[in-house]
Amino acid sequence: ETGVTQSPTHLIKTRGQQVTLRCSSQSGHNTVSWYQQALGQGPQFIFQYYREEENGRGNFPPRFSGLQFPNYSSELNVNALELDDSALYLCASSLRGSETQYFGPGTRLLVL
Amino acid sequence: AQRVTQPEKLLSVFKGAPVELKCNYSYSGSPELFWYVQYSRQRLQLLLRHISRESIKGFTADLNKGETSFHLKKPFAQEEDSAMYYCALYISGTYKYIFGTGTRLKVLA
């Protein structure tokens, strides 16, 4: 059984740039959720994808967008980066109906 | 508004002492609640969920709808319990998860 993987592990961008983060789901899982975790805070839900469609979204602006592919892997795209976007971005996969999530190690994004 | 509150940022106890990590939630519907744990240099992982009503690593958590709480308890803390603990609320129908800010548990020898 392969766990959730994320790439890259670290990333440095400048304000205004765009970034793409990637996530591979755990084998057999069909749902992916993305979270933003700022320093000292709990994970904040960005959105969830199931069957390649977004079906749940937290309080994040439209410049946060995503994709899910037929193999259930996923991307998080953030446009027009702001300094406050600096955080750890977590991906979690699950099987629809179970709601127990399996987390990846995260991608740490620094925006300068 | 839906919210999860973990009032303690840090909880220090001695080995063998009882542990209670507090979690309160705000939600008008029927809650699904979870405890997740993150050990040093490891990823976030599920500890337990309220519908399972099971004990994992000696931890239990009971949902109290009257007090809107889901406190995590263990009668005798072990050093290996030292970790970051997050309480999470799942809002069914919206597919949203709401996490608390976490409590760092330190078990002292």
Side-chain angles (χ1 to χ4, degrees), chain B:
Chain B
Q2 297 115 5
R3 185 168 50 246
V4 173
T5 303
Q6 293 181 251
E8 302 135 331
K9 277 192 174 298
L10 173 65
L11 184 63
S12 296
V13 300
F14 285 102
K15 178 181 171 182
V19 173
E20 181 178 68
L21 292 99
K22 292 185 168 51
C23 172
N24 288 92
Y25 65 91
S26 173
Y27 177 52
S28 57
S30 185
E32 288 188 53
L33 287 152
F34 303 77
W35 277 99
Y36 281 83
V37 61
Q38 188 167 27
Y39 301 102
S40 179
R41 297 190 191 86
Q42 295 187 27
R43 60 186 67 186
L44 203 54
Q45 59 185 285
L46 177 70
L47 180 62
L48 54 79
R49 55 189 300 186
H50 89 273
I51 63 170
S52 301
R53 300 186 65 81
E54 57 190 344
S55 172
I56 305 292
K57 298 185 180 183
F59 284 98
T60 59
D62 289 320
L63 175 61
N64 185 322
K65 290 189 178 180
E67 295 183 0
T68 60
S69 67
F70 188 56
H71 302 329
L72 184 67
K73 299 178 184 179
K74 184 169 183 177
F76 307 104
Q78 303 298 314
E79 288 180 75
E80 55 265 29
D81 296 328
S82 295
M84 195 74 184
Y85 291 80
Y86 293 95
C87 182
L89 169 67
Y90 175 67
I91 312 291
S92 60
T94 68
Y95 309 106
K96 289 184 186 179
Y97 293 84
I98 299 172
F99 278 74
T101 52
T103 297
R104 180 166 299 283
L105 175 65
K106 284 190 176 181
V107 181
L108 309 170

Side-chain angles (χ1 to χ4, degrees), chain A residues 23-24 30 57 89 108 112:
Chain A
C23 171
S24 289
N30 54 16
R57 191 176 184 98
Y89 288 85
R108 189 163 296 282
L112 301 175

Side-chain angles (χ1 to χ4, degrees), chain A:
Chain A
E1 188 178 83
T2 308
V4 178
T5 60
Q6 292 185 242
S7 63
T9 55
H10 296 82
L11 203 51
I12 300 175
K13 291 285 188 178
T14 55
R15 238 177 351 172
Q17 283 189 312
Q18 177 266 341
V19 70
T20 297
L21 310 182
R22 294 178 175 82
C23 171
S24 289
S25 301
Q26 181 160 314
S27 177
H29 286 179
N30 54 16
T31 303
V32 175
S33 299
W34 284 92
Y35 293 85
Q36 181 194 67
Q37 186 173 21
L39 208 58
Q41 300 297 315
Q44 297 290 309
F45 177 73
I46 302 175
F47 43 53
Q48 182 182 92
Y49 276 81
Y50 171 65
R51 290 188 174 177
E52 302 175 50
E53 288 191 5
E54 181 185 304
N55 63 5
R57 191 176 184 98
N59 296 327
F60 282 83
R63 60 188 184 85
F64 285 78
S65 63
L67 285 172
Q68 187 183 30
F69 300 99
N71 67 354
Y72 306 121
S73 65
S74 177
E75 287 182 355
L76 166 65
N77 298 289
V78 187
N79 293 321
L81 282 167
E82 301 176 359
L83 297 180
D84 285 349
D85 296 333
S86 295
L88 180 68
Y89 288 85
L90 296 169
C91 163
S93 73
S94 58
L95 190 59
R96 178 50 58 92
S98 165
E99 315 318 336
T100 296
Q101 297 183 96
Y102 294 79
F103 283 84
T107 293
R108 189 163 296 282
L109 172 65
L110 177 61
V111 182
L112 301 175

